[in-house]
Amino acid sequence: MKLIKLIEDKNLDGILITDLVNLRYFTGFTGTTGIALATKKGKYFFVDFRYVAQANEEVIPNGFEVILIERPAENKISEILKDEKIVKLGIEDRNVTLSAYNGYVEKFKDIKFISLGDNFTRIRMVKTEAEIENIKKAAEIADKAFASILPLIKEGAVENDIKTELEYEMKKLGAEGPSFDTIIASNYRSAMPHGVASEKKIDRDGFVKFDFGCFYKGYASDMTRTIYYGDRPSEKHLDIYNTVLEAQLKAIDAIKVGTSTRELDKIARDHITSKGYGENFGHGLGHGVGLEIHELPNLSGKSEDFILQENMVITIEPGIYIDGFGGVRIEDDVVVKKGGYEILNNTTKELMIIK
């Protein structure tokens, strides 16, 4: 229904889908090679011999006819375009390579290609209950895996070694794999917003920032916790941490249907600025999460403003980063609910001190 509505809304004759994430969303296909075509008359899924059985199992229940093709698929697609007199064909211009587009122009004669822009990602912004359950499970796995690796935080422990154990624990708990390159940044490296795990050894008396997540049934989680490793955090460590935590809680508390994403960003940013750290918060407050780790809506004062809708899943992740000293980020996955919100992560946000 969503594809047909998009065809009607954009006054198209059909839509061609090649991006694997969009294929999974609209057809249910979890393989690595396939093309879908939706028209006013039918929905077709083109696949070669390797994936016929899988496609029959996954896409037929979603209303697609499976068509076995010999590569390239464009030959068979062209036949259907001609039979159904397709003229205006929507394509994923943000995902299609130049070479693929040139191939379409050559094969699909007399077709007018229409840019779909971010229409698919906008459709995916609002989640179904099943999607939310998958994200919730991914968040639960991340919570449990994080708790299991905390005893590994010792002087001389290597960031990459801890990353390996964390990702292994997530897989043991049912994850398909990490949802992005795991960030573990200790001491001065914690000031790097995207400081992925390195060969650095952890030293005492500093922050250790963990930003990680996993895929479960195709859906991602995204969580950040910052701990302190040492006997006693300094007043500066405590001030930075508490400022970030307060900003995060204020932003989460303001989540409700109809709220502007820019307003949420402003709430967190204004608090951090009031404490003297405004220049040290250089990224947006958060983003949507789903089949991809970064989806719409964006939560930022510098990008397009969005209005929160029920069943959007967003991250709230303010941070403060001070070069040469360290940094703090705290992040949760949050579902926008009719009466407010639901936080999917259960790991404490009080500063954990590991001695």
Side-chain angles (χ1 to χ4, degrees), residues 1-137:
M1 290 299 294
K2 291 179 180 179
L3 284 174
I4 298 303
K5 185 176 186 305
L6 183 58
I7 288 172
E8 293 173 349
D9 290 346
K10 295 295 179 181
N11 192 27
L12 301 172
D13 298 313
I15 291 174
L16 192 68
I17 307 174
T18 58
D19 177 71
L20 290 177
V21 173
N22 289 329
L23 283 174
R24 181 161 189 163
Y25 183 81
F26 289 105
T27 75
F29 184 65
T30 61
T32 59
T33 304
I35 298 178
L37 173 66
T39 73
K40 294 177 180 178
K41 294 183 179 180
K43 295 192 294 184
Y44 313 97
F45 191 82
F46 306 90
V47 67
D48 64 44
F49 175 80
R50 298 170 299 167
Y51 291 105
V52 170
Q54 181 176 348
N56 284 333
E57 181 178 323
E58 294 178 338
V59 311
I60 288 177
N62 292 303
F64 283 81
E65 176 187 347
V66 176
I67 299 177
L68 174 64
I69 52 95
E70 298 290 339
R71 291 180 287 178
E74 286 80 6
N75 294 333
K76 186 62 179 178
I77 296 172
S78 181
E79 292 178 14
I80 294 177
L81 296 178
K82 290 177 182 177
D83 289 343
E84 298 194 11
K85 296 180 173 57
I86 302 296
V87 176
K88 292 184 289 185
L89 184 66
I91 61 169
E92 306 153 298
D93 53 299
R94 298 189 178 185
N95 305 99
V96 174
T97 64
L98 179 59
S99 61
Y101 176 75
N102 288 336
Y104 296 162
V105 171
E106 180 183 349
K107 292 282 187 179
F108 305 154
K109 303 297 184 183
D110 303 319
I111 294 291
K112 182 178 181 181
F113 297 101
I114 308 298
S115 165
L116 291 176
D118 61 3
N119 277 277
F120 281 168
T121 51
R122 287 178 181 274
I123 288 172
R124 288 170 19 215
M125 282 196 302
V126 176
K127 271 57 180 180
T128 65
E129 291 299 330
E131 289 180 293
I132 291 171
E133 285 303 310
N134 288 335
I135 299 170
K136 185 180 294 187
K137 180 63 177 180

Side-chain angles (χ1 to χ4, degrees), residues 273-288:
T273 299
S274 73
K275 299 294 185 177
Y277 298 109
E279 294 183 356
N280 304 104
F281 179 23
H283 57 72
L285 178 65
H287 53 85

Side-chain angles (χ1 to χ4, degrees), residues 129 132-133 136 255-258 308-312 334-344:
E129 291 299 330
I132 291 171
E133 285 303 310
K136 185 180 294 187
I255 292 173
K256 62 181 179 180
V257 173
L308 295 183
Q309 302 175 54
E310 184 179 5
N311 285 358
M312 284 182 171
V334 186
V335 183
V336 181
K337 307 293 283 187
K338 199 167 189 177
Y341 58 86
E342 178 186 2
I343 299 173
L344 300 185

Side-chain angles (χ1 to χ4, degrees), residues 188 190-191 236 240 277 280 320-328:
Y188 70 88
S190 61
K236 187 173 183 178
I240 292 170
Y277 298 109
N280 304 104
I320 294 173
Y321 314 92
I322 301 176
D323 288 345
F325 179 79
V328 171

